Amino acid sequence: MKTLVIYTHPNHSSLCYAFLQEVIKGSNENPNITELQILDLYEEGFNPILVFNEQKRRRDMYRDPDLEKYRQQLTWADQLVFIYPIFWGRPPAMLLGYIDQLFAANFAYRDGKGLMPEGLLKGKSVVCISTMKGPANYPLFWLHDAHKVLMKKALFSYVGIKKVKFFEFGNMEKPNGKQAKKLQKVNRYFQNVRR
């Protein structure tokens, strides 16, 4: 299994970065994960801003040469791992900008004759690891699971990815947030995950 980790946090001293390290450690101990690539969107200097004009048309985004490297990574991967904080009930703008540009028509999906498009990223799996300051159940009870609905239904299902796993950790800025236990949980998952 080839795994691409898309890491989205501006601070390498963050808890998100600690989760990245556990994903790497667990993956390196898993014989099912044969190759691992890390894409750090902030370190990469990824530009999340969409530009549409006479030279850059939305319908041509799937072949934008500036994004070719990232399209190749997504095509290559069997498993996509997204690591990010939850800001205001959703992923950070940097990650949403990556999604807006990479999950484009004629690359991630193709419009068809039916109600829903044809997903072109079928067969891949996704793991979303997110952290937030607020309580663990806040997204479920106050936001009707908007984050998970956004990621699973509005994005991944739309492009043909059915297997989606969430690790959504709350209370991460509290001294008793059980951070070490949650880091171990992620490590164990990646030690044992199969395609």
Side-chain angles (χ1 to χ4, degrees), residues 6 8 16 81-93 95-96 99 126-132 135-157 164-170:
I6 297 107
T8 313
C16 279
V81 180
F82 294 86
I83 303 174
Y84 53 92
I86 298 290
F87 294 152
W88 299 108
R90 51 130 183 100
L95 180 55
L96 294 177
I99 289 166
V126 167
V127 179
C128 292
I129 303 168
S130 58
T131 61
M132 62 189 143
N137 291 325
Y138 173 78
L140 174 63
F141 294 118
W142 290 97
L143 302 176
H144 306 289
D145 253 352
H147 163 243
K148 289 181 182 175
V149 170
L150 168 71
M151 298 302 278
K152 187 170 185 177
K153 291 185 179 178
L155 173 61
F156 299 127
S157 180
V164 182
K165 168 88 173 156
F166 287 94
F167 290 98
E168 194 174 69
F169 297 120

Side-chain angles (χ1 to χ4, degrees), residues 143-195:
L143 302 176
H144 306 289
D145 253 352
H147 163 243
K148 289 181 182 175
V149 170
L150 168 71
M151 298 302 278
K152 187 170 185 177
K153 291 185 179 178
L155 173 61
F156 299 127
S157 180
Y158 198 84
V159 299
I161 300 173
K162 303 298 181 200
K163 187 177 177 185
V164 182
K165 168 88 173 156
F166 287 94
F167 290 98
E168 194 174 69
F169 297 120
N171 296 319
M172 290 294 88
E173 292 186 17
K174 291 189 175 181
N176 62 347
K178 301 179 182 173
Q179 290 87 346
K181 185 177 178 182
K182 293 168 182 176
L183 289 164
Q184 290 170 1
K185 182 177 183 178
V186 166
N187 180 289
R188 280 194 306 275
Y189 177 83
F190 282 92
Q191 283 180 25
N192 299 300
V193 68
R194 295 171 177 257
R195 187 153 185 200

Side-chain angles (χ1 to χ4, degrees), residues 63-75:
R63 57 183 176 205
D64 184 333
D66 295 338
L67 301 173
E68 179 60 24
K69 165 186 160 182
Y70 306 110
R71 285 193 297 272
Q72 287 179 5
Q73 288 176 323
L74 288 171
T75 301

